[in-house]
Amino acid sequence: MKQTAPLPPHNWPVFQPGWVWLCGAGPGDAGLLTLHGLNALQQADVIVYDALVNADILGWANPDAEQVFAGKRGGQVSAKQGDISQMLVELAQDGKRVLRLKGGDPFVFGRGAEEGQTLKSAGIPFRILPGISAGIGGLAYAGIPVTHGAMNQSVTFVSGHDAKGAVSPLNWQAISDGSPVLVLYMAMKHIGRIGKALRDAGRPADEPVAVVSGASTPDQRVLETTLERVVADIETHKMTAPAIICVGPVVALRDLLT
Ligand code: SAH
C-alpha cells in the first residue's frame, strides 16, 4: 500500500477490512487532525466525509481510496442521516476499510453515536478516533479559553437546535445558573431566542459574547459583542455559519491572549 507521508514510529492500529473507523477531523486547520486520523487515511479504502472536513486532509488519503461526500449543512440536508449510516454498513459488508471522517469530534454534536449504534446493531466492528471539537480548539484559535481558574469551574456545551431544527427545549434557567460559560454549537439561527432566554434567566445585558466563524480556517472571523447586541452585530458584521458562540467572562480574555 502506498504511504502518503511517514508516520512517527508507534504501534499504529491496522485497519482491517470490514471495519468502520469513526474519526474526528478537527474544526478546520488540517494540522488539528490527530495522528490516528492520518494513520486511518493512509489505510482506508473508502472515505465518507462531511462538509466541514478540510480538503487538505483528504489530500493525505491513500491515493487509491474512494472519497464519498456525505455533507449536511445547516438544515440543507444533502444526505439523510439514516442513509449515511446505511451506506457505512453496506460498505463494511462489502469488505471495505471504511473511514467516516467528520468535522470536530464525532461524539460532540456529530452524530457519531447514532452511526455507532447503527453499526453495532448491524454487527459491524468499529472504532472511534476522537478529534478536536470546534467548541474547544476553534475557540482557542480565537484566543478564548473555555476555562480560566479564576473565572469558571464549569462549562456547558449546548446545541442551538434539537434534532428537528427547533430551538433546543432546554431549561435555560438551570443552564444559566449552573454554568458561567456556555459554548453554543449550531446556534446562529436561534441566537436571538437563546440570548433572550439567557437574559430572562438573569444574565446581564453586557455579558461578553464571541461569535467565531470558520474557526481555525483561513476564513476565521471573530466578533466580540454582548448578549444584548449579539443579534444586531451578527447582522451588521455579516457573520455566517459555521460559527461557535461563546457566552461568558472568558471571552474578555481574548484581549490578553491574542
Ligand atoms: N462534531 C463537531 C460539531 C458538529 S455540529 C465538533 O465537535 O466540532 C456543527 C457545528 O459545529 C456548526 O454549526 C458550528 O457551530 C460548529 N463548528 C464546526 N466547525 C466550526 C468552525 N470551523 N468554526 C466555527 N464553528 C464550527
Side-chain angles (χ1 to χ4, degrees), residues 27-28 52 103-105 108-110 133-135 184-186 212-215 217 242-244:
L52 293 176
D105 182 281
V108 180
F109 303 129
S133 191
L184 310 175
Y185 291 70
M186 298 175 278
V212 183
S213 68
T217 74
I244 282 285

Side-chain angles (χ1 to χ4, degrees), residues 184 187-188 190-196 198-199 205 207-212 223-239 244-247:
L184 310 175
M188 292 293 269
H190 295 310
I191 187 59
R193 293 169 69 179
I194 294 169
K196 179 172 184 313
L198 292 172
R199 293 275 292 112
E207 169 118 38
V209 174
V211 180
V212 183
L223 168 70
E224 275 188 71
T225 178
T226 62
L227 261 191
E228 192 177 39
R229 296 196 335 251
V230 62
V231 173
D233 281 352
I234 283 174
E235 180 127 355
T236 307
H237 296 277
K238 301 192 169 28
M239 300 297 290
I244 282 285
I245 302 179
C246 183
V247 178

Side-chain angles (χ1 to χ4, degrees), residues 3-64:
Q3 288 278 305
T4 48
L7 280 162
H10 177 63
N11 187 18
W12 295 109
V14 175
F15 210 151
Q16 302 289 351
W19 277 65
V20 177
W21 287 6
L22 299 172
C23 178
D29 183 347
L32 295 179
L33 182 77
T34 67
L35 293 178
H36 272 300
L38 185 56
N39 176 52
L41 277 164
Q42 294 182 350
Q43 298 183 66
D45 299 313
V46 49
I47 299 160
V48 182
Y49 65 97
D50 275 352
L52 293 176
V53 172
N54 185 324
D56 287 352
I57 288 177
L58 295 169
W60 297 337
N62 169 5
D64 299 330

Side-chain angles (χ1 to χ4, degrees), residues 126-160:
F126 64 95
R127 169 179 196 128
I128 311 296
L129 303 175
I132 295 180
S133 191
I136 300 178
L139 286 177
Y141 268 49
I144 300 168
V146 292
T147 70
H148 182 290
M151 286 182 172
N152 62 314
Q153 276 67 56
S154 68
V155 52
T156 300
F157 298 95
V158 179
S159 169

